[in-house]
Amino acid sequence: QGFESWSARWKTHYELTVYQIGENRYSVGWYNKGTRTIKEYIDANSWDEAKSLAIGIVKNYYNQMAIYWRDMKIGFDNWTEIK
């Protein structure tokens, strides 16, 4: 069996990669300017399922980051509020 992969680029420097590393096992990587910010392993029954799960992982990552930065902004605003 050959080494199979799929990748998609967003804007100019974000890239999502999916590598099949076993019959139903895949490695997911999310890169920003060549630096990997996400590395996860998933089980999927097809390439379509693997791609869908990989995109979901990235969406979840950004949703979590948005919550984090929103909470940081609120906390910082409260900390710097002059009473």
Side-chain angles (χ1 to χ4, degrees), residues 33-80:
K33 297 180 183 173
T35 301
R36 186 174 53 212
T37 56
I38 296 175
K39 180 180 181 182
E40 292 199 26
Y41 298 98
I42 58 172
D43 294 313
N45 294 315
S46 68
W47 272 103
D48 287 338
E49 183 181 6
K51 289 186 264 187
S52 179
L53 290 170
I55 291 167
I57 288 168
V58 175
K59 284 182 179 180
N60 185 57
Y61 171 79
Y62 279 106
N63 286 336
Q64 292 299 317
M65 292 304 295
I67 292 167
Y68 171 81
W69 287 111
R70 182 205 63 210
D71 292 348
M72 285 293 289
K73 180 188 180 316
I74 290 169
F76 185 78
D77 288 347
N78 289 339
W79 181 67
T80 59

Side-chain angles (χ1 to χ4, degrees), residues 13-46:
H13 54 274
Y14 294 100
E15 185 174 12
L16 176 60
T17 62
V18 180
Y19 295 98
Q20 187 172 18
I21 58 175
E23 187 174 330
N24 294 319
R25 190 79 168 151
Y26 298 83
S27 173
V28 175
W30 178 245
Y31 297 84
N32 178 0
K33 297 180 183 173
T35 301
R36 186 174 53 212
T37 56
I38 296 175
K39 180 180 181 182
E40 292 199 26
Y41 298 98
I42 58 172
D43 294 313
N45 294 315
S46 68

